[in-house]
Amino acid sequence: MKLAVKLTPPHWFVVRAGSVPPAQACGPARRTGFQTSIAVVSNRPHTASHEGAATISGRHGHALARKTQQSSKSATRGDLTAPRRRSGAAGFRTIHTSLAGLTSLLILLATPILAGCGDNGFDWSFNKKPEKKSDAPLTSPDPRADAGVFEGTVRQFAYVGGFRKLRVRGFGIVGALANTGGGDCPAEIRKYLEGEIRRRNSAMSIRIDPKSIFDNPQFAPVVVTAEIPAAATKGDRFDVVVRALGSQTTSLEGGRLYFCDLKMFQATPRGIIEGQALGHAAGPIYVSPFGREEAAATRSDPRFGRVLGGGVLKDDRRLRLILHSPSYPMAVRIRDRLRGRFGATEPNVADAVSPSTINLVIPREFRDRPQHFVDLVMHTQVVSEPARLTRRAAELVDQIVHPLAPYEDIALIWEAMGRTIVPTIAPLYDHQLEAAAYYAARTGLRLGDDLALEVVGRHAADPKSPFREAAVRELGNARASHRAADRLFMLLSDADTQVRVLAYEALVRRGDPRIRSYVVWDDNFTLDVIECDGPPLVYARQSEEPRIAILAREGRLLTPLLYTHRDDLVTLSAQPNDDCVWAVRKNPINKRLSDPIRTSLDIVALIRFLGGPPIVNQGQVESLGLNYTVIVDLLDQLTRDQRLPAVMVLERPRVSEDLGRATTRERRESEL
């Protein structure tokens, strides 16, 4: 018979391998795990393919296919970071895609296939007419596929270990609930929590009976999960997710997580093993007020919430470089180069602790941008001679003006070289290729060049620029430049709402003094007020920290108005021509209503009144003590009803701009 192996469409490659008919096939194929189908990537008789790798079905075939794909890509691209490892799948070595290699491979694989069982997924239709060959090349030249841009960088010699999120979990107690809690939970979890309560009793010299907590509907046991950010340092904060245990708890809204140790857990045949505490969590719970309606497309669960910025890391996470080929002289060279480039604020930024490992410490100026630091490390040239760096920078100038150049990687290599290369890249600021001009200017701005600020500022202000949002973020990172802050402040009045939000976030990171900030009841939330032109804007965050921003010259409620919370926690009302708002607060425990309380129509004063601590001073109620969830819901409803003439914007879920970047992806064998 003929064994037909389909190659990169539309080509075929035929190997004659005996004449065993399908009906006489028997069991060995099942025992070997092959599924009798082969696809080997090649479209020319004497050339290796650049399009993929051999694909062989079955438990051995999948591993061999992956190995072939890695080998093909490494050979065609010259990828210096490809792992130099032997395949562990069925003892196969790297497959070379020459004609002879492919033929030998096919003959080798034909034996288990021809001994296979019947037509077990195999296509026996050998006599299909081959499609007409195309004379067009497989791919057009693309400089982005050329790994030569990384020649001489740290990436050529090492990869990053420890740069990944770390999943942790724990159990805790939520209190301050409006009788919506319950104490039911698995027995082993209750035993653990009772022990934690007693331990804290001893440490704090107090006496709380664990039974009284589990029997009280104002408390609820919860499971807490979180992802500790990559390269986080001691004291860094992160969000945690809280979910009620058992069935008695109906809602966590208004609750507070009192304590929780966050640990790694490992499932073993003997049960679950818990590690040491890597962090702890506590704080007010934010339960999304949206999606509660029956007709909502996506329903929210009141038994599920988050503590924004409620997790705290106990110790620095380890970050390291691991050399592809262990060599202490190379490790020392890389260490010295990194210390020379980044050691001004962190002398021990790199430490060669072994021939294969270099420990890294994130410098102070990169603590809130660890991804940026790791990118720069991986793009740092190992050589340090100024003449060689200048020559390499000039070579990259010639490369970046190509329409398909690897702009991001070239810009990072320049930035890692340091300020001395600014004169080399400055002529590109006005280049006709927009991408080349922007990335060169971005590099210049990061290296402190004032001329580059003008170029990045133009992109930030240009509604048609494809780099607009990225340019706004860059202005926010230029913290030593007052002119960058002024440009950001001007963008607060832009017609694009997203640009206004980005400008606000950038100014907050800079600590701009033109933002008036009010801390409302300790950790309840922070209220920012920025007087600027443009339509009034209300912005609320849903990650990292509870924070509300009012961007407006003036913000006053319109009358008449009526707002009632879904659980009647608060009611606001005003008649036409009223110069105030009347608020009625319901006690969530005993359900009693307060007398009407007079407050201001000014939105800033109203928010501070609603969210402040519930204090009565000389018979005067100063604030109502409503939580962040209620305040966000109230602002959203008032803007929808047009009683607050503003646009309400909720923070969008954030996606890392560097997701999937090969320079910082950690290999699976690296563990914390």
Side-chain angles (χ1 to χ4, degrees), residues 334-347:
I334 295 175
R335 177 202 66 187
D336 293 344
R337 180 70 181 102
L338 296 178
R339 286 183 176 181
R341 174 62 179 87
F342 304 104
T345 58
E346 184 58 62

Side-chain angles (χ1 to χ4, degrees), residues 169-173 185-186 188-190 192-193 196 200 221-225 243 245 257 259-263 265 272 274:
R169 187 179 64 169
F171 301 96
I173 295 290
C185 65
E188 61 272 19
I189 295 178
R190 174 162 180 159
Y192 167 80
L193 290 174
E196 287 296 297
R200 284 169 168 76
V222 294
V223 57
V224 182
T225 57
R243 188 182 296 275
L245 292 167
L257 177 64
F259 66 84
C260 178
D261 287 334
L262 298 173
K263 307 175 182 180
F265 290 82
I272 296 178
E274 65 179 59

Side-chain angles (χ1 to χ4, degrees), residues 488-509:
L488 286 170
F489 199 85
M490 292 174 60
L491 292 173
L492 293 175
S493 305
D494 195 85
D496 189 324
T497 300
Q498 178 63 16
V499 169
R500 299 180 71 189
V501 170
L502 289 173
Y504 157 73
E505 291 277 18
L507 288 169
V508 169
R509 292 195 304 271

